[in-house]
Amino acid sequence: MAVDNSIEETARTTQANLNYLLPGPDINRRFVSAGVEVNTGTYGPYPMTIRDGRTILEHFSFDRHGFKLLDAPTKIADFHDKTEIEAEYQDEVCEYVKQAFGADVVYSQGWMLRTSGNIPKKEPEADGEGGEKKPYRHYGGLQPAAGEVHIDTEPSRQLAYAKKLYERVRPGGPGFKRFIMSSFWRTFSPPPQDCTLAVCDARSVRNDEGTPNVLWVVDKIPEGDGMFAPMDDDAQLAAAIFRHNPDHRWWYFSKMERDEALLFKFHDSDNSVGWRVPHSAFWDSSFPDANVRESIECRTTAFFE
């Protein structure tokens, strides 16, 4: 049955700057440490129209758009309580993702809090053995909002990653015919939020778009030429970053509540449907007296056996 997309033209719109990759160095890396993330690439703002899908929620589908806003009540009382998150939240998310995609098994690859507010400087934790500091782990901490157009996965590396993950978490399993890597994004600060998340309609993204941005998790961000020093980039995880495309069609969902979650694809191995969703934080000027955005994202891989 043909889908009538005319309803999309009824959505409220807002204008905002989204940061796309500009011409620059051939080496693109993203260094992350506690409370700070730095790219070697240069990004610049492009004014884009962002549509508010709040009034047409039922129109969106994973196969077409690559994302949906879900009703997702949570048992978590305090998202700043790391013990509670570790004990409860990832299992909760995996069940929602399993139901949403119709997958057989779903595994979490960790979670992160983000905020548009100030991030207090945190000293590295001691490991208890001689008082030495633990190396930084990009997991379960507090980071700034990610304000560049990107996808957290780079297509050429995902099948190998999925095979390795499946072998580790499902030894002796029957194998899988499809996998979906995704983000389960929830804001838990009161609506409206000042710096929320925009997602790009998967149908408006060409398959040949995207440049690898290699992820390096470090204790200290390198400076100057150190950011471009020889490194084994091929052995690292990488994101995809994007140059401006005026055909990109952007959406968001205003005034999100803590019992809602935006589920969107990083990578679907079935490329015949909407298979990846660029996304970016943006400053929403639609509402006066907006609140600081606090959010939690949980990355998962869903397998279809």
Side-chain angles (χ1 to χ4, degrees), residues 43-271:
Y43 298 78
Y46 287 82
M48 300 296 286
T49 297
I50 304 177
R51 295 163 177 82
D52 184 358
R54 173 58 67 182
T55 60
I56 56 171
L57 295 181
E58 298 305 315
H59 172 68
F60 299 96
S61 79
F62 294 116
D63 281 353
R64 293 195 307 275
H65 302 86
F67 59 83
K68 285 187 71 173
L69 185 69
L70 307 179
D71 288 324
T74 180
K75 297 178 182 178
I76 302 301
D78 181 4
F79 281 101
H80 291 288
D81 185 340
K82 190 170 185 176
T83 300
E84 186 179 10
I85 298 295
E86 287 290 300
E88 301 275 354
Y89 192 60
Q90 293 180 95
D91 288 342
E92 183 179 276
V93 167
C94 286
E95 188 58 35
Y96 278 127
V97 174
K98 183 179 179 181
Q99 293 176 8
F101 288 147
D104 293 297
V105 287
V106 177
Y107 298 96
S108 171
Q109 276 82 68
W111 57 275
M112 184 67 70
L113 301 179
R114 294 189 185 271
T115 181
S116 61
N118 295 325
I119 298 177
K121 183 176 176 57
K122 183 179 179 181
E123 294 298 325
E125 298 176 356
D127 65 5
E129 297 180 4
E132 294 183 2
K133 303 299 184 183
K134 292 181 180 179
Y136 172 68
R137 291 182 64 213
H138 195 52
Y139 172 97
L142 178 63
Q143 294 291 104
E148 311 89 24
V149 175
H150 71 287
I151 300 175
D152 297 53
T153 56
E154 191 277 320
S156 69
R157 307 178 191 219
Q158 299 320 305
L159 179 57
Y161 178 86
K163 287 180 177 178
K164 185 176 180 180
L165 174 65
Y166 187 84
E167 291 170 358
R168 177 170 62 83
V169 300
R170 194 98 161 106
F176 61 91
K177 58 181 181 288
R178 179 187 181 189
F179 66 93
I180 300 176
M181 297 174 176
S182 64
S183 180
F184 191 89
W185 189 89
R186 183 193 303 271
T187 181
F188 55 88
S189 54
Q193 293 84 22
D194 59 0
C195 182
T196 187
L197 188 69
V199 286
C200 188
D201 189 330
R203 298 170 298 178
S204 68
V205 184
R206 300 192 315 269
N207 285 354
D208 64 351
E209 289 189 82
T211 297
N213 195 27
V214 178
L215 176 66
W216 285 94
V217 179
V218 296
D219 294 328
K220 183 180 179 181
I221 304 292
E223 299 178 358
D225 292 343
M227 301 184 77
F228 301 94
M231 298 179 180
D232 189 7
D233 286 347
D234 291 340
Q236 299 296 115
L237 297 176
I241 49 180
F242 292 81
R243 301 190 188 279
H244 178 245
N245 180 348
D247 293 332
H248 284 169
R249 191 171 174 88
W250 289 93
W251 290 91
Y252 86 120
F253 297 92
S254 63
K255 300 182 179 180
M256 282 183 63
E257 302 280 353
R258 76 190 311 274
D259 279 341
E260 297 177 317
L262 180 56
L263 177 59
F264 58 96
K265 295 179 183 179
F266 288 158
H267 182 97
D268 187 340
S269 62
D270 181 358
N271 288 181

Side-chain angles (χ1 to χ4, degrees), residues 17-19 145-148 150 195-198 279-283 293:
N17 286 327
L18 296 182
N19 291 312
E148 311 89 24
H150 71 287
C195 182
T196 187
L197 188 69
H279 51 281
S280 176
F282 77 99
W283 293 95
R293 183 255 272 194

